[in-house]
Amino acid sequence: MSEVIVVTSGKGGVGKTTTSANVGTGLAAMGKKVILIDTDIGLRNLDVVMGLENRIVYNLVDVVEGNCRIKQAIIRDKRYPTLFLLPSAQTRDKSAVNPTQMVRMVSHLKDQFDYIILDCPAGIEQGFQNAIAGADRALVITTPEVSAIRDADRIIGLLEANEIHKIDLIINRIRYDMIKRGDMMSSEDVVEILSLPLLGMVPDDENVVIATNQGEPLVGSNTLAGKAYQNICYRILGREVPFLDLEKGVSFWARVSGIFHKG
Amino acid sequence: MFKNILKRKSSREIAKDRLKILLISDRVNCSPEMMEMIKNDIAQVISKYMKIDTKSMEIQITKTGNKGRGHKNPTLYANIPILDLKND
């Protein structure tokens, strides 16, 4: 049984592409056959985050327009034998593809993959409509900030209006030191506001930037974010995994200053 | 005075409170201006029959129950302090 997952957020820059790359890589490392599809036409980025930018020959728009067979456009990740990427087009715009074409393409891929992960562009316009058209479930990414949460709420409403009811929340860039001194909403606060099941909490970890610099997803590595993404993958597979103790990641000095701030 | 209250609150609480109010109006597609208009209209109608404290009355749209999304049933909640039941 294959599952089509759309990774979306509304607001830009909250970590959709990073999450797509790490969840896709993590699931593949667990032996699942995964294809990542970048649906951000005109602003493709999943290829660079994955470190596969030099291997693109054809793209999503070429497939939809019939310039190539779908197999020619799909890139196999050499690091993981069951991980594949369908890159987006860089020189076109969102109107190059419509939701009907997306549904047709995704359903064609369904019998070949366990997981189809769609990296959604920011916004609620056609790019978003394209990305969610063929999805069975959604991962909504947000950060503990007012603007990101507001946009996430809007996106959740739109997903429900489009009959996608399996929606899970991932809270990204959590800073435990800030939560502790009362300057950041906790994951409990965000869950209370958005009333969605929580699938994962990812700490604000500089290793994410380093991994992106290198084009190497950090899921499964011995970093806080790497472990958080790994746990998200387990939960997608239906395993119950306890949430990470993010306090462990806070340095001694941050904790000491936290105590002083409290007093 | 209002500033003092804000000062005592952590920025986390401020964010949470702002979001809650913001999302209520976002979800029902009802702007704060429209809420103000509804409030004034209600005040006008009630004032025909009794004396009310229009300054401290408040209205808001809340979700009833806590069944999560999809089951929400928004309710208009009005808190109108009555100054005098007879309005002569």
Side-chain angles (χ1 to χ4, degrees):
Chain A
M1 242 280 294
S2 89
E3 196 166 43
V4 185
I5 307 173
V6 62
V7 180
T8 182
S9 69
K11 190 176 176 298
V14 296
K16 286 179 296 296
T17 303
T18 307
T19 305
S20 301
N22 281 289
V23 167
T25 307
L27 289 170
M30 291 168 189
K32 298 291 171 190
K33 200 172 174 199
V34 180
I35 182 163
L36 289 160
I37 304 178
D38 189 350
T39 66
D40 201 343
I41 303 168
L43 293 167
R44 76 172 170 214
N45 272 324
L46 188 53
D47 53 332
V48 274
V49 175
M50 295 291 298
L52 297 171
E53 69 273 22
N54 293 328
R55 295 187 46 209
I56 298 175
V57 182
Y58 293 107
N59 59 53
L60 176 75
V61 178
D62 290 323
V63 173
V64 167
E65 290 183 344
N67 299 333
C68 69
R69 281 175 290 118
I70 196 158
K71 270 201 174 145
Q72 293 175 286
I74 293 172
I75 301 165
R76 213 189 97 184
D77 192 316
K78 286 174 183 157
R79 294 159 293 190
Y80 303 89
T82 57
L83 183 59
F84 299 83
L85 170 74
L86 177 56
S88 172
Q90 182 69 340
T91 52
R92 302 288 293 273
D93 62 64
K94 306 310 188 241
S95 62
V97 174
N98 66 47
T100 320
Q101 292 168 318
M102 284 298 292
V103 171
R104 204 180 304 142
M105 192 190 70
V106 166
S107 63
H108 179 75
L109 291 169
K110 262 188 172 179
D111 46 353
Q112 300 169 49
F113 295 94
D114 298 318
Y115 288 96
I116 299 169
I117 297 173
L118 299 148
D119 183 21
C120 179
I124 52 171
E125 295 82 16
Q126 186 164 359
F128 169 76
Q129 298 296 340
N130 285 340
I132 66 165
D136 303 317
R137 68 183 288 191
L139 305 185
V140 171
I141 320 297
T142 189
T143 60
E145 286 160 77
V146 187
S147 50
I149 295 170
R150 183 193 201 179
D151 290 0
D153 189 76
R154 180 105 165 84
I155 284 294
I156 295 160
L158 290 171
L159 288 168
E160 283 173 344
N162 283 279
E163 298 298 323
I164 297 173
H165 297 294
K166 199 171 176 191
I167 311 171
D168 291 289
L169 183 67
I170 293 176
I171 307 170
N172 197 12
R173 284 208 206 110
I174 298 173
R175 282 189 55 183
Y176 193 83
D177 54 329
M178 288 188 76
I179 294 174
K180 225 165 177 198
R181 63 176 130 96
D183 279 331
M184 183 177 269
M185 281 178 277
S186 67
S187 47
E188 288 84 4
D189 294 337
V190 182
V191 168
E192 182 194 328
I193 290 164
L194 293 176
S195 36
L196 275 190
L198 183 63
L199 190 76
M201 306 188 281
V202 184
D204 188 22
D205 185 344
E206 60 178 42
N207 288 302
V208 173
V209 179
I210 297 170
T212 308
N213 287 344
Q214 295 166 335
E216 195 81 54
L218 85 175
V219 60
S221 69
N222 193 24
T223 58
L224 273 178
K227 284 178 193 159
Y229 281 122
Q230 176 117 358
N231 288 348
I232 289 169
C233 294
Y234 281 133
R235 293 186 197 108
I236 289 173
L237 295 178
R239 261 176 65 176
E240 279 200 25
V241 189
F243 286 101
L244 282 180
D245 183 5
L246 294 182
E247 195 173 2
K248 273 186 198 148
V250 180
S251 75
F252 172 72
W253 285 112
R255 250 185 277 178
V256 169
S257 76
I259 291 164
F260 282 116
H261 268 283
K262 250 192 180 170
Chain B
M1 197 188 102
F2 192 56
K3 230 181 175 177
N4 269 338
I5 294 169
L6 280 184
K7 254 187 192 165
R8 248 184 284 137
K9 269 190 181 175
S10 68
S11 73
R12 165 198 167 209
E13 285 172 280
I14 296 168
K16 217 176 148 183
D17 292 346
R18 286 177 62 214
L19 260 173
K20 279 184 176 167
I21 294 165
L22 183 65
L23 292 190
I24 286 165
S25 49
D26 275 4
R27 282 173 190 169
V28 295
N29 201 8
C30 172
S31 66
E33 290 82 33
M34 200 172 115
M35 290 294 285
E36 196 57 36
M37 281 157 67
I38 295 173
K39 183 178 146 184
N40 290 338
D41 284 358
I42 291 175
Q44 233 176 36
V45 173
I46 309 279
S47 297
K48 277 196 214 167
Y49 304 96
M50 57 191 78
K51 206 170 171 188
I52 57 167
D53 182 1
T54 48
K55 270 191 189 133
S56 54
M57 82 174 267
E58 39 183 309
I59 66 162
Q60 60 183 133
I61 292 168
T62 55
K63 284 193 291 172
T64 53
N66 222 352
K67 288 177 188 165
R69 309 189 72 100
H71 306 278
K72 58 185 177 232
N73 197 2
T75 308
L76 181 69
Y77 170 87
N79 188 355
I80 310 168
I82 299 167
L83 295 175
D84 194 349
L85 271 173
K86 279 170 270 170
N87 192 13
D88 303 314

